[in-house]
Amino acid sequence: SRFDGDEFQLVGLDELTHFTLKQYQALGSRIRSTNPLLPRYIRGTTNPGGKGHGWVFDRFGPWLNPECLTLPPKFDEEGKRIPPAAPGEVLYFLVDKEGNETIVPKGTLSEPDEKGYQQVALGRTFLPAALSDTPQLASDASYRQRLRNNDAVRRAQLEDGDWLKKPAAGDYFKRGWVQTIDVLPAGGFGVRAWDLA
């Protein structure tokens, strides 16, 4: 609501997953101009993870989610399912009154509303990147070591740009780190407990 009266032609967001969907939509609604020749954009950079990971993953599902159903499935040379939209491919979306999105050809107009106004499909794309795509950082041994200090999930997100990596069994605790004994030490006792939270 802080920007309700503002008019922007470009909104740039660093670390998009640190924003909520509501914040993103609110800022997007301020991208306007009375001059139809002025280009108007919203751009963001981000890493996987963060409180907004879910909505960013959903919004850019055609580029990030192999299970995305908005386009026909695609498979790599080994038969593994991959996201249906190619990196950098621009798709155009129309949103109906209920908020449902449909992918349509560029320039598609909606049906006129009750006042006779139409909406035009807006383009969207996603350009994935991994640490190796930034040679200056990839060659910085101290930065790479700092990334390695993260847990396996965060490391995969930051090094590989992996949007699918989520906490799973064995990511934080490895059974091999604990020695199992068959008999309690003399005079000792044992306690076994599991925190299921």
Side-chain angles (χ1 to χ4, degrees):
S1 64
R2 178 176 145 200
F3 300 105
D4 279 352
D6 293 331
E7 176 181 296
F8 302 115
Q9 286 75 52
L10 170 65
V11 171
L13 301 166
D14 187 33
E15 291 299 343
L16 191 56
T17 57
H18 293 210
F19 292 84
T20 65
L21 175 59
K22 187 174 180 179
Q23 290 170 323
Y24 177 80
Q25 290 171 326
L27 287 168
S29 71
R30 303 298 91 205
I31 299 173
R32 58 189 176 162
S33 176
T34 54
N35 180 349
L37 300 177
L38 258 174
R40 294 171 298 280
Y41 302 103
I42 187 165
R43 298 289 186 261
T45 63
T46 196
N47 286 296
K51 66 182 177 185
H53 178 99
W55 76 260
V56 172
F57 184 76
D58 290 344
R59 182 166 180 82
F60 296 95
W63 296 271
L64 298 172
N65 184 358
E67 302 301 319
C68 183
L69 301 176
T70 57
L71 293 170
K74 282 188 182 175
F75 300 89
D76 65 14
E77 310 81 38
E78 295 151 8
K80 181 180 173 188
R81 194 164 175 170
I82 59 174
E89 178 181 357
V90 179
L91 299 177
Y92 293 86
F93 295 81
L94 270 181
V95 181
D96 66 19
K97 290 181 181 181
E98 288 78 38
N100 302 310
E101 291 188 322
T102 305
I103 298 174
V104 296
K106 181 179 181 179
T108 300
L109 293 171
S110 68
E111 294 294 321
D113 63 18
E114 59 279 351
K115 295 181 181 178
Y117 295 120
Q118 292 179 286
Q119 292 77 40
V120 67
L122 296 177
R124 185 182 314 156
T125 191
F126 190 88
L127 299 168
L131 177 61
S132 58
D133 296 316
T134 310
Q136 300 87 338
L137 289 177
S139 64
D140 181 343
S142 64
Y143 179 65
R144 290 186 70 89
Q145 182 58 49
R146 285 184 186 90
L147 292 181
R148 293 282 163 94
N149 287 334
N150 287 290
D151 60 70
V153 172
R154 193 66 181 139
R155 192 166 50 244
Q157 290 173 338
L158 295 175
E159 286 186 0
D160 305 324
D162 189 340
W163 285 81
L164 300 174
K165 185 71 173 168
K166 295 179 181 166
D171 280 342
Y172 297 103
F173 176 81
K174 305 236 184 273
R175 189 170 297 279
W177 294 346
V178 176
Q179 179 182 3
T180 303
I181 57 173
D182 295 326
V183 179
L184 292 174
F189 64 93
V191 175
R192 176 185 290 186
W194 298 99
D195 180 355
L196 300 177

